[in-house]
Amino acid sequence: MWAAIAHRLSENRYDIVQLFGGIQVYEYRHLVQSLPNVIVPYDSYSLYLERAFEQQAKPLQKILAGVQLSVAHRYEQAMFMGYDRIVVLSEVDRHTLHMLNPQLPLHVIPNGIDTSYFSPSANLAVEPILLFVGNFEYAPNVDAALWLVHDIFPRIKQRIPAARLLLVGNRPPDILSALAAPDIEITRRVPDIRPYMERAAIFISPLRVGSGIKNKVLEAMAMGKPLVATPLSGDGIDLVSGTHVLYGTSADELAEAAIRLLNDNALRAAMGQANRQMIEAQFTWQRVADQYEDLYKQMRRKRGFAE
């Protein structure tokens, strides 16, 4: 990879060099220092590990998580030094990296959504269907799905017997697939998530571990879906409780929020509309592109390059 990057830089003229990823690409900073450069690690791995550490209940697992966290803290203190800008997707991730190293030139630019592709259905979903989406090769999504099936959904079923749950995502492990039932549908990767979004009355995101902005939440919002979520699920989106989302941190709170929304058509409609409006105002790809363009101009000016 080093040779490929060096060859490209020698053969072409570039205005900006942008690297995507953290641990995979940070070492190439020495290759790109002659040009304005930016690295986009997306999120803070330290923040991810801090949240994973908080969730560990077994002493040995907590010790191992603590060791990982200590190593990550030391690594992230230094690994981004030398870049002109470091772009993360949420203010929470920016804060974590700033606390590790206040000298880092951090900047927040969120992900964007294709608002033509992800757009609301003309009809409000009325069946009591809840949807969670995730790549199940990612452990936090498995944790969220298992918590949803074992603890949250049964509480909802007690009050709304007709409720159904959709779990959609890549490679669900056997421990999750085995929980499929007449009222719990578990798919593998699907070619198009939108039909599942359209069926759902509520998008629920009970994530307890993770960092960065959640694309699944942005996509649901773009399709006009009301949200029930943990606060972590809303990182970087500035959701207003009661307007865009009903938050919960326990199984009881999340179940109560879902029950409230399933029983209130007007609130679901208003929340879905507010979510779509937020996406259109703040998270379109055009808005993201404009923010990057402004950042590139700032970087070139600071380096003394002509516009």
Side-chain angles (χ1 to χ4, degrees):
M1 180 63 76
W2 185 285
I5 295 172
H7 176 72
R8 289 280 184 172
L9 291 172
S10 67
E11 294 292 321
N12 300 281
R13 178 185 177 277
Y14 295 101
D15 296 320
I16 298 283
V17 177
Q18 181 158 339
L19 302 176
F20 292 94
I23 193 70
Q24 308 96 326
V25 298
Y26 81 96
E27 62 187 348
Y28 301 121
R29 61 188 168 199
H30 302 296
L31 272 174
V32 302
Q33 285 179 340
S34 64
L35 291 168
N37 59 78
V38 57
I39 186 169
V40 185
Y42 300 107
D43 54 16
S44 166
Y45 188 55
S46 290
L47 178 61
Y48 170 87
L49 289 177
E50 285 172 10
R51 288 169 166 172
F53 176 79
E54 292 169 359
Q55 291 297 318
Q56 297 299 336
K58 297 180 179 179
L60 179 58
Q61 291 178 336
K62 204 167 189 71
I63 290 171
L64 292 174
V67 171
Q68 285 184 297
L69 179 56
S70 178
V71 171
H73 278 170
R74 291 198 297 271
Y75 223 72
E76 284 197 322
Q77 284 174 346
M79 66 186 289
F80 300 123
M81 292 295 290
Y83 283 98
D84 291 351
R85 291 290 188 279
I86 302 102
V87 173
V88 291
L89 304 182
S90 81
E91 184 61 33
V92 181
D93 292 276
R94 189 208 68 80
H95 176 74
T96 298
L97 289 175
H98 176 77
M99 293 300 291
L100 290 174
N101 187 345
Q103 298 179 27
L104 293 177
L106 294 157
H107 201 83
V108 178
I109 299 179
N111 272 349
I113 289 294
D114 183 340
T115 52
S116 297
Y117 185 83
F118 292 103
S119 59
S121 171
N123 301 313
L124 181 69
V126 294
E127 290 187 61
I129 297 175
L130 300 97
L131 171 67
F132 176 66
V133 173
N135 175 10
F136 293 118
E137 290 185 303
Y138 182 55
N141 285 330
V142 177
D143 173 76
L146 291 174
W147 189 34
L148 180 53
V149 173
H150 286 306
D151 298 315
I152 301 167
F153 187 58
R155 287 169 165 81
I156 297 169
K157 286 286 289 186
Q158 288 176 359
R159 303 263 292 279
I160 304 179
R164 297 185 62 215
L165 176 62
L166 302 179
L167 300 176
V168 180
N170 182 52
R171 295 197 175 184
D174 291 343
I175 192 174
L176 181 59
S177 296
L179 299 174
D183 56 357
I184 301 175
E185 181 179 346
I186 302 174
T187 78
R188 294 183 178 272
R189 180 188 292 274
V190 297
D192 189 347
I193 193 62
R194 292 173 299 174
Y196 295 88
M197 289 277 193
E198 289 173 354
R199 290 169 57 191
I202 294 172
F203 188 86
I204 184 166
S205 181
L207 289 164
R208 296 187 286 190
V209 180
S211 57
I213 205 165
K214 311 302 181 293
N215 286 346
K216 60 170 72 57
V217 174
L218 295 179
E219 291 167 359
M221 292 173 66
M223 293 196 68
K225 294 299 169 180
L227 304 174
V228 170
T230 53
L232 179 154
S233 300
D235 279 358
I237 311 179
D238 292 330
L239 300 170
V240 177
S241 182
T243 300
H244 305 104
V245 62
L246 295 182
Y247 279 129
T249 58
S250 68
D252 282 334
E253 289 174 353
L254 290 165
E256 285 297 325
I259 291 164
R260 177 185 170 191
L261 271 177
L262 289 173
N263 286 329
D264 193 333
N265 291 346
L267 179 58
R268 292 205 316 278
M271 188 176 287
Q273 183 177 24
N275 286 342
R276 174 67 185 188
Q277 289 171 348
M278 175 180 271
I279 294 296
E280 291 176 343
Q282 300 182 34
F283 294 99
T284 64
W285 278 121
Q286 183 60 57
R287 180 173 171 80
V288 171
D290 290 344
Q291 291 178 74
Y292 269 108
E293 185 173 1
D294 289 343
L295 179 63
Y296 295 158
K297 289 178 180 178
Q298 294 171 22
M299 292 163 56
R300 287 184 60 79
R301 283 196 298 267
K302 188 170 182 179
R303 285 285 202 110
F305 286 83
E307 292 285 335

